[in-house]
Amino acid sequence: DGNELSEILTYVEENTTDQEVTDMFGVAEGKNLIFVTLESLQSFVINNTLHGEEITPFLNELIGESYYFENFYHQTEQGKTADSEFIMENSLYALPSGAAYFTHAQNQYHSTPQILKDENYTTAVLHANNKSFWNRDTMYENLGIDHFYDIKSYEVTDENSVGWGMKDKEFFEQSMKYLQSLPEPYYARFITLTNHHPFDLDDEDATLDPFDSNSRTLNQYFQTVRYMDEAIEEFFDHLKSTGIYEDSIIVMMGDHYGISDFHNRAMGMYLEKEEITPYDHVQLQRVPLYIHIPGHEGEIISDIAGQVDIKPTLLHLLGVDDSHDVSFGTNLFGPNRKEFVALRDGSFITEGYLYSKDTCYDRESGEVLASNVSSNLLSGDEEQDDVCSSMHEQVEQEMSYSDKIIYGDLFRFHEFSRNED
Ligand code: GP9
Ligand code: MN
């Protein structure tokens, strides 16, 4: 009810809100926002090689002209792609089980597209799959998406399809006419598909030899990742040749992991590690985040960050006042960042520590600092015991606040009034 909400609002105000105006505020004001979901792309392939070849030559080069977040974590659960969309559009956590896209599609939200519509933006999603997959058609209407270009908007043939559907290169090419038809400024979100489990690719599209391990999944993953890299490069070429490039900020984010723990042996072989520990597992949940702004050289940002931070960051760059918003993330260019990134399984990362499976690790070295953190079997070093155990409680608290908002549809009781000058 309303009382429950006021406790949550106080928490958010004190812990996850940063209203500081920085020199990045409004740098992209009035520009188009192009957002690309990079299906199943994990950060370990970026600036990495296979058979002595770069896996993602274009994405590697792009780091030099973007803000690239190298310690950015996905926070999804069972809802996979839909969770990643839910988190970044609302700055709420994914649910601990199920997908809010199915279970809470009728809730009241205050999403990025809804907010940008008030700023005169046109909003669209482009994705060559059935519109009802993940209940997107229902959810998108509720989240303020004006146009959803789904499979019906594309010419899909046997020739231009593989695995889950239309190949990404073809998808971007056929999307251009829709993008060009949108009134500016627009917020257009593209969801890619080819780099999806089981990572099948036609021979003619494979420009990298497979890895050689007992995991066919991992072996093929590198090839579809390379294909995605080429598809993104082609998309950038389309944006440049149509002049859209200069008028847009381009944000690209990995949605979730592609390689599960089931393939740990093969992954260990590739990473040249004897075993994949819980620490390694958490570090493998890093996914790329690129923010490309015309005229900005960008930089590599090493601060920890997560998908809940996307919404406040985008609003900051677009110069939108979000002082009445309720976010569980903070602006990634602000000085008062949150102290932790929480994963939905209860693991979390701070600047100094990484907590997973009741064990506290040094974030940089992976060294075990304390075990059985939550059952208070203390290591004897008070400082270390404190850091992981007190933060552990806050992480649980914060995620349960987000869950309460969703389960109770609590935004019904909140007035998202904004300062009008
Ligand atoms: C389906 C695509 C993939 O439309 O977004 O979904 P996923 O299986 O990754 O959640
Ligand atoms: Mn996905």
Side-chain angles (χ1 to χ4, degrees), residues 1 5 8-9 12 86 90-92 107-111 114 311 324-328 401-402 404-406 408-416:
D1 58 13
L5 183 62
I8 299 174
L9 294 178
V12 166
F86 181 80
N90 299 296
S91 197
L92 293 168
N107 272 18
Q108 193 158 315
Y109 293 106
H110 191 237
S111 67
Q114 286 167 322
K311 179 190 183 190
H324 291 269
D325 201 21
V326 179
S327 303
F328 286 94
Y401 281 150
S402 173
K404 278 182 179 160
I405 289 174
I406 301 165
D409 193 8
L410 295 187
F411 283 167
R412 284 177 298 159
F413 307 112
H414 189 58
E415 183 94 42
F416 288 101

Side-chain angles (χ1 to χ4, degrees), residues 131-147:
K131 65 178 188 217
S132 60
F133 197 92
W134 282 126
N135 202 29
R136 281 182 174 115
D137 50 347
T138 306
M139 192 61 165
Y140 283 179
E141 240 183 84
N142 190 13
L143 291 180
I145 309 287
D146 295 324
H147 307 283

Side-chain angles (χ1 to χ4, degrees), residues 166-183:
M166 184 176 235
K167 299 178 184 181
D168 288 344
K169 288 181 184 177
E170 196 73 29
F171 162 65
F172 283 123
E173 195 178 320
Q174 290 192 27
S175 293
M176 289 310 294
K177 60 176 179 290
Y178 300 122
L179 192 60
Q180 288 177 281
S181 76
L182 296 174

Side-chain angles (χ1 to χ4, degrees), residues 388-403:
C388 275
S389 62
S390 69
M391 200 64 95
H392 170 69
E393 277 165 38
Q394 192 185 340
V395 166
E396 295 295 321
Q397 174 74 270
E398 182 168 309
M399 288 198 287
S400 90
Y401 281 150
S402 173
D403 295 345

Side-chain angles (χ1 to χ4, degrees), residues 39-40 80-81 196 255-256:
E39 177 59 48
S40 300
K80 307 300 289 290
T81 311
H196 192 291
D255 58 353
H256 49 74

Side-chain angles (χ1 to χ4, degrees), residues 37 39-40 77-85 127-130 133-134 136 140 148 164 191-193 195-197 255-257:
T37 293
E39 177 59 48
S40 300
E77 244 312 316
Q78 292 172 333
K80 307 300 289 290
T81 311
D83 276 356
S84 82
E85 299 180 32
H127 181 47
N129 197 356
N130 291 322
F133 197 92
W134 282 126
R136 281 182 174 115
Y140 283 179
F148 180 16
W164 274 55
I191 305 172
T192 60
L193 197 55
N195 189 46
H196 192 291
H197 188 270
D255 58 353
H256 49 74
Y257 66 84

